[in-house]
């Protein structure tokens, strides 16, 4: 972890690990506040960015379980302020289920449809080229030019002639909307940022990660629950014993809050500009600690596994969410992507990698669920590695069984998922040894 911190130049990083529901390690490295030399510690509060989406999913799931929310009817049933949409002249329907898995067609921070489509086409061509090259190599025909390579060359030449640069799309941190300073009073008001923009594709046909989709989900939570979104979330945090998890606001005094940093063009560490996250509480606006994230991960894992243990231990309490709800949430959804691990797919506000082994005595892919976060001056990950259970191993055991890893850091654009997975596998191996 020290090495990762030094590689990315992060001022501070905090890690937490739990094994079978018990926190076994939490530690802070470096500084939460560089100017005042305040060290990071387990209690340090940082931006968790898009892990907020997984928190919002719990609110949606509770409403669905209570029969107050239908995932498959048009969102206008709950939020008539969001206009009905068309795509290429055809009326289309945006549903809560599509929003959750980023299949709605609602834009992210990039407003230019052409750039997004070029990027997607470029990725698809690149993937096709790699697949064909692999197949040719297997057949010993790697020197032969086929129709696909000609097609690819034609496409690249056409792109060059238009002076376009596929693959050079602005990243999120170059988009102006990430740095909004405007205070929005509620989720309905936030919709004006994007509600009149055209859909990027027909809902359900493609994947486009969209934080604005979760702003619309917050409005749905408000209407389905009858509570303000933040009030409803605070009730959930109380139930889950996540007492340090709050929405990020500038005015309140929040003890142990870190400061956030970025490197400028001269490669010097500077404070990030002030931002107001009120337009995206649901998709990336919460603060938390590694300890709270571990509690959240364990509550999800408990709900996922408790159904397996019911026959062997009748005294178990129910999970916060039902086992069938958790299975639905952690089942990969077709047509989705998991950007932080290409082996996985996006599910319902979680990325999921399924158990897989192609060859005997070779690489074994473990089943796990995770979500990463990237905000102005912050990066995060929460990873859940369930224990591989069978009917023989569950006797005399109680859930949750597995490793949870949470890492938060006060530097943006730090990929933490692979580090979290390595840490989880180390603890899992140590336990099995």
């Amino acid at each position: 972890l020290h090495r990762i911190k030094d590689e990315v130049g992060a001022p501070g990083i905090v890690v937490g690990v739990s094994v079978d529901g018990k926190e076994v390690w939490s530690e802070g490295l470096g500084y939460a506040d560089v100017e005042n030399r305040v060290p990071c510690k387990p209690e340090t509060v940082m931006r968790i960015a898009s892990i907020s989406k997984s928190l919002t999913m719990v609110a949606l799931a509770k409403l669905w379980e209570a029969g107050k929310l239908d995932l498959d009817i048009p969102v206008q049933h709950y939020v008539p302020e969001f206009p009905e949409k068309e795509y290429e002249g055809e009326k289309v329907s945006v549903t809560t289920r599509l929003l959750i898995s980023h299949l709605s067609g609602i834009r992210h921070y990039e407003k230019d449809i052409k750039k997004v489509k070029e990027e997607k086409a470029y990725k698809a061509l690149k993937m096709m080229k790699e697949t064909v090259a692999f197949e040719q190599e297997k057949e010993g025909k790697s020197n032969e030019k086929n129709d696909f390579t000609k097609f690819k060359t034609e496409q690249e030449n056409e792109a060059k002639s238009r002076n376009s640069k596929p693959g050079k799309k602005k990243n999120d941190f170059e988009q102006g909307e990430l740095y909004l300073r405007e205070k929005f009073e509620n989720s309905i008001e936030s919709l004006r940022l994007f509600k009149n923009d055209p859909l990027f594709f027909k809902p359900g046909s493609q994947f486009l990660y969209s934080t604005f989709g979760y702003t619309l989900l917050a409005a749905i939570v408000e209407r389905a629950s009858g509570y303000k979104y933040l009030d409803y979330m605070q009730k959930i945090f109380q139930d889950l014993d996540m007492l340090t998890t709050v929405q990020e606001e500038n005015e309140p005094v929040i003890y142990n809050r870190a400061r956030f940093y970025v490197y400028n063009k001269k490669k010097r560490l500077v404070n990030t500009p002030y931002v107001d996250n009120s337009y995206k509480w649901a998709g990336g606006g919460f603060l938390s600690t590694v300890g709270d994230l571990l509690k959240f991960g364990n509550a999800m894992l408990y709900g996922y596994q408790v159904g397996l243990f019911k026959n062997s231990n009748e005294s178990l309490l129910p999970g916060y969410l039902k086992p069938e709800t958790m299975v639905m949430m952690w089942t990969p959804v077709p047509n989705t992507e998991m950007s932080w691990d290409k082996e996985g797919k996006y599910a319902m506000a979680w990325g999921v990698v399924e158990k897989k082994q192609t060859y005997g005595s070779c690489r074994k892919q473990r089943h796990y669920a995770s979500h990463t976060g990237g905000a102005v001056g912050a990066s995060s990950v929460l990873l859940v590695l369930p224990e591989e259970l069978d009917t023989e191993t569950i006797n005399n055991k109680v859930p949750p069984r597995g490793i949870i890893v949470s890492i938060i850091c006060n530097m943006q654009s730090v990929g933490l998922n692979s580090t979290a997975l390595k840490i989880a596998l180390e603890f899992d191996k140590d336990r099995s040894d």
Side-chain angles (χ1 to χ4, degrees), residues 106-320:
I106 289 174
R107 70 175 179 87
H108 192 39
Y109 298 119
E110 175 61 73
K111 295 181 181 180
D112 191 332
I113 296 179
K114 185 181 172 185
K115 285 184 181 178
V116 173
K117 287 186 174 179
E118 276 186 355
E119 175 76 2
K120 280 188 169 290
Y122 178 75
K123 282 182 179 176
L125 283 169
K126 190 177 177 185
M127 195 176 294
M128 284 171 65
K129 182 183 177 185
E130 288 169 356
T131 305
V132 171
F134 177 72
E135 292 298 326
Q136 286 180 333
E137 197 173 323
K138 276 170 62 179
E139 296 168 15
K141 299 177 183 176
S142 56
N143 292 325
E144 292 181 18
K145 245 190 175 179
N146 59 23
D147 291 341
F148 166 74
T149 25
K150 289 177 187 172
F151 171 71
K152 167 91 171 45
T153 307
E154 287 168 10
Q155 293 291 315
E156 286 180 338
N157 289 339
E158 190 181 332
K160 284 175 186 174
S161 69
R162 293 196 311 264
N163 294 319
S164 64
K165 294 182 179 179
K168 296 292 183 183
K169 182 173 71 74
K170 284 182 178 180
N171 66 37
D172 286 349
F173 294 102
E174 293 172 306
Q175 303 291 348
E177 282 177 326
L178 200 67
Y179 301 92
L180 284 177
R181 298 183 180 189
E182 184 179 353
K183 177 82 173 174
F184 290 87
E185 291 304 316
N186 53 54
S187 301
I188 301 295
E189 191 185 330
S190 306
L191 297 180
R192 68 175 164 80
L193 289 169
F194 62 92
K195 69 178 183 180
N196 294 318
D197 294 341
L199 297 182
F200 276 25
F201 51 79
K202 185 177 179 180
S205 66
Q206 295 181 45
F207 177 87
L208 178 64
Y209 189 89
S210 171
T211 291
F212 284 130
Y214 274 72
T215 298
L216 179 51
L217 285 171
I220 292 169
V221 168
E222 289 191 353
R223 292 293 167 76
S225 68
Y227 291 89
K228 290 182 179 178
Y229 170 76
L230 291 176
D231 293 344
Y232 195 74
M233 292 305 298
Q234 278 303 323
K235 182 182 181 304
I236 289 174
F237 297 153
Q238 288 287 325
D239 290 344
L240 295 173
D241 196 31
M242 297 171 64
L243 304 182
T244 60
T245 303
V246 294
Q247 71 271 17
E248 184 184 6
E249 293 179 288
N250 191 49
E251 289 180 2
V253 174
I254 298 173
Y255 292 108
N256 298 312
R257 176 164 28 180
R259 299 189 71 163
F260 304 103
Y261 301 93
V262 68
Y263 285 94
N264 65 13
K265 290 178 181 178
K266 295 181 179 179
K267 308 299 180 188
R268 288 185 177 175
L269 190 73
V270 294
N271 292 299
T272 55
Y274 165 72
V275 293
D276 190 304
N277 287 322
S278 58
Y279 72 100
K280 59 168 186 178
W281 296 133
F286 288 107
L287 299 169
S288 193
T289 59
V290 291
D292 268 15
L293 293 178
L294 292 180
K295 290 176 183 177
F296 176 66
N298 277 305
M300 299 300 100
L301 183 58
Y302 182 98
Y304 182 71
Q305 293 177 331
V306 70
L308 299 172
F309 289 83
K310 274 296 180 188
N311 294 330
S312 60
N313 192 337
E314 294 296 334
S315 64
L316 287 175
L317 291 168
Y320 192 66

Side-chain angles (χ1 to χ4, degrees), residues 48 73 145 204 268 372 405:
I48 62 169
I73 62 174
K145 245 190 175 179
R268 288 185 177 175
T372 60
V405 179

